[in-house]
Amino acid sequence: MNRVYGDRKTILILLIPPLAIYVLLKVVPVLWSLGLSFFQGNTLRGFEFVGFDNFTTFATDGAALQSLWVTIGFALIATVSQVTFGYLLALLYVFVLRKGSAFVRTAVFFPMVLPTVAVALLFRSFVAVGDNQGPVNDVINFFGGSSVEFMASTAGTMATAIVMTLWSSMGFYAVLLYTGLLDIPDEIIESARLDGAGGLRLVRNIIVPLSAPILLSSIIFSLNSTLKVFDSLLALNGGGPGTSTSPLTLYMYRTAFEYAEYGYGSTIALVLTLLCLVFTLTVFRSSSKRVED
Amino acid sequence: MTATQTLTQARPRSRKVAAPGSAPSAARRIRRSLRRIPVWLVVTVLLIVVMYPQLWMILGSFKTQTEFFENPTWALPETWTLDNYVSALTRGNVGINYRNSLLVTIPSVALIILLGVAAGYVLEVMIWKGRRTVLLFILAGIMVPGQMILVPLFTVYFRAGLTNSLWPLILTYTAMGIPLTTFLMAAYFRSVPREIFEAATMDGSSPLRSFFVIALPLMKNSMLTIGLVQFFSVFNDLLIALTFTTKPDLATIQVGLLSLSDEYGSTQYGPLFAAISVNIIVLLVVFVFLNKKIMAGLAAGSLKG
């Protein structure tokens, strides 16, 4: 039997096409990009080997450092709020709404499938339609506050971006964590209840530790997607005002394709990749250490 | 639709369970439903926050430019005409944008699924030395951000003279979709009992034949689930589309939406709202029918990735 399923011809026929596309269009470009980060220039002007110059430039480039902080700040705030709101919703689904949660679950999930560009444009109009103010300011006025021009300030734009990210993805994280909570055996929760643990204590001492693995996966997934934030900040306000909310991805795109600095662009892409790797490993290490303690 | 059904069915069922306990006194039952009020309040606020922006956008798509500037933005449209939709689809590029998006998304997703299921079969069902290493090698691709391949691919597509077509988008999406699809397909094949494939061999089917006759029909459900996930990630992408689209008439809908709003000051809000609303309405229809598959697929994709 093993000999039949070791048939070389079948393996080659079925594996060569996907492997070839993967290697040629993903692996080779990644290695190529790694190499490019040691060069300066572009295809028209020619390339010049500069060693680690691009990296030292990055460390002293104000715009690059600014976008690095935008990326890290956005990722941290978005991840904490996404996972927290998702977890609260999941607890609501499992322990309060129980069987009646299907409609709420589906409705809150839906914005996740909407294109980020569309969502960003929606929220930009939601805070202001041209010179006319949007529903958000109407609500602020109703409670006696004065209108805020969200897109005119860095803090306003970032706050809108965070709220928008939360709006579109909290339902997704809720479903993710909900499936994790469903896996907790009812007997454990019942016996904890009998031992007198109820409400917050039950959640803190029993439920959170038991759902730790899925919380960890959610945090890692959320960090990895928010560190690559691109569409939302670009479509929301073009990385502005000025470049104050332009993340690494957008700075890389502009460096490489608007200023045709292919080498430096590749360096920025490499920094982004390393950032994702470092964040993932840090979360992973810190959590496995806590389990050992 | 199915979701509302379960909601309406679930309520009487849970009440029946609670009935014996609360039967003794009516006061206790009232107290219990009073205690539910904060819950319904929270759920109502939640649903308003989630749904109102979408409804507001769709209502806005019926307004005229003067209504946008003179009426409060929460006002209902004065007339219900489809003028904005017509002008977005005909006068703007939105119609072409949607056509391009479909021309890119459908072949990409088909290729991703076909190549992914083939790779999954070879890496899980076929037995050969080094298959674990190859799987890990493909898996590594999930970790790398798209930014790492933009510059080299741009150079290659430019040299190969492909920049005047939609091929750069299709090829790039396919390459980016393969790692996760292969990994998920391999996982699905792992849950299929080996005996099915061994029985096929007994009946004289070669492994290649078994792939087409047994594996593909067997994976139909998984292919649909992963296909939906890939559809959303390709259709909603901006980065790749923006980088490899050099001409306006090759732009996908996401790039189109971005440039539609870029003409600041002279933005035609009606058509812009209409173009966004088309997205919301079409995806809502898809989601009503396939929400279980979409939710399961997206969750699987994130956890295993």
Side-chain angles (χ1 to χ4, degrees):
Chain A
M1 198 54 69
N2 280 357
R3 223 190 303 129
V4 176
Y5 280 97
D7 178 36
R8 240 162 233 288
K9 218 177 75 192
T10 311
I11 295 174
L12 291 180
I13 290 174
L14 293 178
L15 190 60
I16 294 280
L19 202 60
I21 289 188
Y22 173 66
V23 169
L24 287 177
L25 295 177
K26 183 105 198 198
V27 180
V28 170
V30 166
L31 297 177
W32 186 342
S33 184
L34 269 179
L36 272 183
S37 54
F38 297 98
F39 286 83
Q40 227 164 44
N42 60 42
T43 25
L44 294 178
R45 209 169 67 207
F47 287 100
E48 185 195 346
F49 182 78
V50 292
F52 282 94
D53 273 12
N54 284 334
F55 295 90
T56 45
T57 308
F58 185 92
T60 52
D61 177 359
L65 293 177
Q66 184 192 40
S67 58
L68 181 70
W69 292 122
V70 169
T71 295
I72 293 179
F74 179 84
L76 288 180
I77 300 175
T79 298
V80 168
S81 44
Q82 266 173 356
V83 177
T84 310
F85 269 73
Y87 200 62
L88 290 177
L89 283 176
L91 290 173
L92 177 80
Y93 297 164
V94 177
F95 295 107
V96 182
L97 297 179
R98 299 200 188 114
K99 289 217 166 102
S101 73
F103 174 73
V104 180
R105 224 161 55 210
T106 317
V108 180
F109 186 94
F110 175 66
M112 179 72 187
V113 302
L114 294 176
T116 321
V117 178
V119 174
L121 295 178
L122 195 167
F123 271 78
R124 193 167 90 182
S125 315
F126 212 60
V127 294
V129 183
D131 291 333
N132 199 355
Q133 62 180 30
V136 173
N137 274 322
D138 289 332
V139 172
I140 295 177
N141 290 351
F142 180 79
F143 286 107
S146 50
S147 300
V148 183
E149 262 197 74
F150 286 94
M151 293 301 120
S153 71
T154 311
T157 307
M158 276 306 250
T160 313
I162 298 278
V163 169
M164 164 198 143
T165 308
L166 198 58
W167 180 80
S168 64
S169 62
M170 65 181 178
F172 167 75
Y173 286 95
V175 166
L176 209 63
L177 294 160
Y178 168 79
T179 47
L181 288 181
L182 285 186
D183 286 343
I184 299 177
D186 285 340
E187 298 84 56
I188 296 185
I189 295 170
E190 270 317 304
S191 66
R193 276 222 176 99
L194 289 177
D195 290 343
L200 273 178
R201 271 189 54 207
L202 180 75
V203 170
R204 207 182 51 204
N205 296 333
I206 310 288
I207 308 211
V208 171
L210 282 176
S211 51
I214 195 136
L215 266 174
L216 181 68
S217 315
S218 309
I219 292 173
I220 291 177
F221 182 74
S222 169
L223 275 176
N224 267 313
S225 51
T226 49
L227 281 170
K228 293 175 202 160
V229 58
F230 179 74
D231 329 18
S232 34
L233 286 170
L234 175 58
L236 191 64
N237 206 5
T243 56
S244 61
T245 61
S246 144
L248 267 187
T249 48
L250 186 55
Y251 188 56
M252 181 268 163
Y253 176 84
R254 287 190 170 144
T255 307
F257 299 106
E258 276 169 27
Y259 303 110
E261 292 288 348
Y262 284 11
Y264 191 38
S266 300
T267 310
I268 301 169
L270 181 60
V271 171
L272 180 70
T273 311
L274 293 175
L275 203 63
C276 291
L277 214 64
V278 166
F279 268 79
T280 307
L281 289 178
T282 312
V283 173
F284 212 74
R285 285 266 310 266
S286 68
S287 67
S288 57
K289 219 181 259 168
R290 202 170 301 154
V291 171
E292 278 163 26
D293 293 342
Chain B
M1 208 32 92
T2 50
T4 28
Q5 265 165 19
T6 29
L7 179 70
T8 46
Q9 278 164 8
R11 241 186 277 149
R13 206 186 302 147
S14 53
R15 202 176 291 158
K16 225 178 279 168
V17 176
S22 56
S25 74
R28 198 195 261 177
R29 204 186 301 163
I30 292 169
R31 213 182 311 141
R32 184 168 288 182
S33 44
L34 275 179
R35 224 186 293 151
R36 295 292 279 186
I37 288 179
V39 173
W40 290 117
L41 219 62
V42 168
V43 170
T44 311
V45 170
L46 180 70
L47 288 180
I48 289 175
V49 166
V50 168
M51 288 171 162
Y52 181 66
Q54 302 172 47
L55 185 70
W56 179 78
M57 177 73 16
I58 294 171
L59 287 176
S61 68
F62 295 102
K63 293 181 183 173
T64 60
Q65 190 78 350
T66 39
E67 279 183 79
F68 271 111
F69 290 121
E70 282 165 12
N71 295 357
T73 43
W74 43 263
L76 291 176
E78 284 164 5
T79 51
W80 298 89
T81 59
L82 291 172
D83 288 356
N84 286 330
Y85 287 88
V86 174
S87 76
L89 289 174
T90 54
R91 227 179 306 151
N93 270 335
V94 176
I96 299 168
N97 293 152
Y98 270 109
R99 193 205 60 193
N100 287 338
S101 268
L102 290 179
L103 282 178
V104 168
T105 309
I106 293 169
S108 307
V109 173
L111 273 172
I112 291 171
I113 295 300
L114 201 67
L115 295 172
V117 77
Y121 181 80
V122 172
L123 293 170
E124 194 55 45
V125 179
M126 302 295 285
I127 297 162
W128 48 287
K129 228 173 135 185
R131 58 185 180 141
R132 292 282 140 226
T133 323
V134 174
L135 186 62
L136 277 178
F137 174 65
I138 292 180
L139 215 58
I142 300 176
M143 292 288 296
V144 184
Q147 275 79 8
M148 279 296 276
I149 60 175
L150 290 184
V151 171
L153 285 184
F154 189 78
T155 314
V156 170
Y157 294 143
F158 191 74
R159 287 263 170 86
L162 290 173
T163 34
N164 273 330
S165 68
L166 292 170
W167 280 109
L169 298 186
I170 298 176
L171 289 171
T172 314
Y173 288 134
T174 308
M176 288 180 71
I178 283 178
L180 182 64
T181 311
T182 303
F183 180 67
L184 288 174
M185 285 298 179
Y188 285 124
F189 273 120
R190 205 167 303 147
S191 60
V192 174
R194 274 210 76 81
E195 286 77 28
I196 293 180
F197 294 106
E198 284 168 6
T201 313
M202 293 298 190
D203 291 341
S205 169
S206 72
L208 189 59
R209 207 182 120 82
S210 298
F211 171 70
F212 287 105
V213 182
I214 296 169
L216 282 187
L218 212 59
M219 287 290 120
K220 226 164 38 190
N221 248 328
S222 326
M223 280 157 72
L224 180 61
T225 307
I226 304 175
L228 283 167
V229 175
Q230 295 295 353
F231 175 86
F232 286 117
S233 75
V234 173
F235 189 82
N236 295 352
D237 169 81
L238 177 67
L239 179 67
I240 306 291
L242 198 61
T243 310
F244 297 141
T245 306
T246 43
K247 291 196 304 187
D249 54 332
L250 288 175
T252 63
I253 182 61
Q254 312 309 337
V255 179
L257 282 180
L258 200 63
S259 57
L260 206 62
S261 73
D262 257 357
E263 300 137 20
Y264 213 73
S266 65
T267 307
Q268 294 291 312
Y269 285 101
L272 175 66
F273 276 43
I276 297 173
S277 296
V278 173
N279 260 309
I280 297 178
I281 295 165
V282 171
L283 289 173
L284 187 63
V285 171
V286 175
F287 191 70
V288 163
F289 286 103
L290 293 168
N291 62 66
K292 286 214 177 103
K293 280 226 142 50
I294 294 170
M295 285 157 81
L298 283 173
S302 70
L303 282 190
K304 287 170 180 157

